[in-house]
Amino acid sequence: MRLEKVQLRPLEGIKILDFTHVLAGPFCTRLLADMGADVVKVNSESRMQINAPAGPYFTMWNRNKRTISLDMNHEPARKVAGQLAQMADVVIDNFSMGVLDRWGIGFDDVSQVNGKVIYVQMSGMGSGGPWSNFVTYAPTIHALAGLTYTTGVSGRENIGLGFSYNDHQAGLHAAVAVLSAVEARRHSGKGQRIDISQFEVAVNLLGPTFMHYFRNDQPTEPSGNDLQYDRIAPHGCYRCKDSAVDGEVSERWIAIACLDDAHWNSLCDAMNRPDWTKDLQLETAEGRYVQRRYVDEQIGKWTSEFDPLILMEELQGMGVPAGVVQDGRDLMENDPQLQESKFIRTIEEPHPRMGEIYADKLPIEFESTSCEIYKRARLLGEDNESILSDWLGIDKETVQKGEEDGYFR
């Protein structure tokens, strides 16, 4: 009888003890779990307000993980957490600075026993500095880092991004840090402590802003859809023909970006505007930028007669960079690219409280180590027995007693 070889995911065998909450940290560990790491999510009844297992955040960002309930207000729970940390490859948290140390399970304590452990601390402001103890969430990080200001519209600098952009960026940085530290450990045999400032991650996204300041001694101003450092036009969003769905009329828009003369000439052909190709004021990128308000107005009049999807495909076919401004319905129901890649798929096991749930797939394709496993987020303490047995060899009766005594909850 021929045995079929089991295909392992890239991070099979890596153990991660996950104390993170909300989005940035859980997004990091979700990526690692999708790639096969055994991620053990630590939760408790006392932290349920922002980590409710049936809430949208927990359900979305904690798939493919196992969950253990440890009430860290109790010494027995802290002892078990320390034992888990001694078995872990990676311990990660995004608390304010020093929480794990106060529990007696920080890097200095655990690394004395587990010299290969990697600790990732991804607090809002990082360790040290006058703001290191600040409590931060995406809107405050965006504001402090300059993202709110620089991504706004002139005259409306208070708009901001509207979603937790930097949480995702911080999570990506943390995932890269974990993989880098695991590789470094392969050579040195030693773990290490990693400090990630979510604030500095956000500031790091504004590189050209610093160049502009140092070179021209001027701060970058909000510019809407205009490129901040290149005089390029047209470069914006233009209204198309409105659509009606379920009796509701919705505005539809298309983004068009002409970064060179070839793009511009093709757009002129599409619009049947041969006069523009002969207009000396529009002959160069600089001239088109100077006349951008006039150009935008004329393009907007033209696009208003078209369905955005049809127009996008026609423009793309002529070599003009264009994209429909898609909403959630477009992405989930109508986007042929996402449908082809099966980007949204149903998680096989229904959630015991939310019923049928869905996963957006890991947007990375491994040819030899496929990551096509998607398991639902687990309820509080649902995996207590399996985790404590697998990692620490604790028997079922001891786990049940800990649950009855209140420190496994």
Side-chain angles (χ1 to χ4, degrees), residues 247-263:
E248 294 186 9
V249 177
S250 300
E251 293 182 5
R252 301 312 311 265
W253 297 75
I254 189 170
I256 299 173
C258 293
L259 271 67
D260 57 33
D261 292 341
H263 295 157

Side-chain angles (χ1 to χ4, degrees), residues 211-240:
M211 292 293 293
H212 180 61
Y213 181 81
F214 291 131
R215 177 65 179 83
N216 302 313
D217 197 28
Q218 292 179 343
T220 299
E221 298 295 329
S223 59
N225 289 327
D226 287 343
L227 285 177
Q228 294 177 332
Y229 310 105
D230 296 286
R231 297 170 72 81
I232 298 294
H235 187 279
C237 293
Y238 306 91
R239 190 166 180 177
C240 296

Side-chain angles (χ1 to χ4, degrees), residues 307-324:
D307 175 275
L309 179 60
I310 295 174
L311 181 58
M312 174 186 70
E313 293 180 344
E314 290 183 354
L315 289 174
Q316 286 283 354
M318 298 179 70
V320 179
V324 176

Side-chain angles (χ1 to χ4, degrees), residues 9-50:
R9 290 176 290 171
L11 298 182
E12 295 279 355
I14 297 294
K15 294 181 177 180
I16 299 176
L17 189 60
D18 178 8
F19 287 93
T20 66
H21 60 289
V22 191
L23 197 165
F27 182 58
C28 163
T29 51
R30 191 186 84 167
L31 289 171
L32 302 173
D34 285 351
M35 290 187 279
D38 181 12
V39 177
V40 168
K41 181 78 176 178
V42 180
N43 203 357
S44 67
E45 289 182 352
S46 62
R47 297 179 63 206
M48 289 276 281
Q49 182 177 358
I50 54 177

Side-chain angles (χ1 to χ4, degrees), residues 284-349:
T284 64
E286 177 68 25
R288 294 191 289 272
Y289 184 79
V290 171
Q291 298 293 325
R292 66 188 182 281
R293 300 307 174 218
Y294 161 73
V295 171
D296 285 344
E297 179 184 358
Q298 295 301 307
I299 294 175
K301 289 180 180 179
W302 176 69
T303 59
S304 66
E305 301 298 322
F306 294 91
D307 175 275
L309 179 60
I310 295 174
L311 181 58
M312 174 186 70
E313 293 180 344
E314 290 183 354
L315 289 174
Q316 286 283 354
M318 298 179 70
V320 179
V324 176
V325 178
Q326 299 201 100
D327 59 20
R329 186 189 300 273
D330 293 321
L331 292 169
M332 298 302 101
E333 299 179 6
N334 304 323
D335 188 300
Q337 191 73 21
L338 296 180
Q339 290 176 1
E340 175 70 22
S341 68
K342 296 180 175 59
F343 184 77
I344 302 296
R345 67 267 314 272
T346 304
I347 290 181
E348 185 175 343
E349 181 186 4

Side-chain angles (χ1 to χ4, degrees), residues 171-184:
L172 285 170
H173 277 69
V176 171
V178 167
L179 298 178
S180 300
V182 169
E183 176 64 11

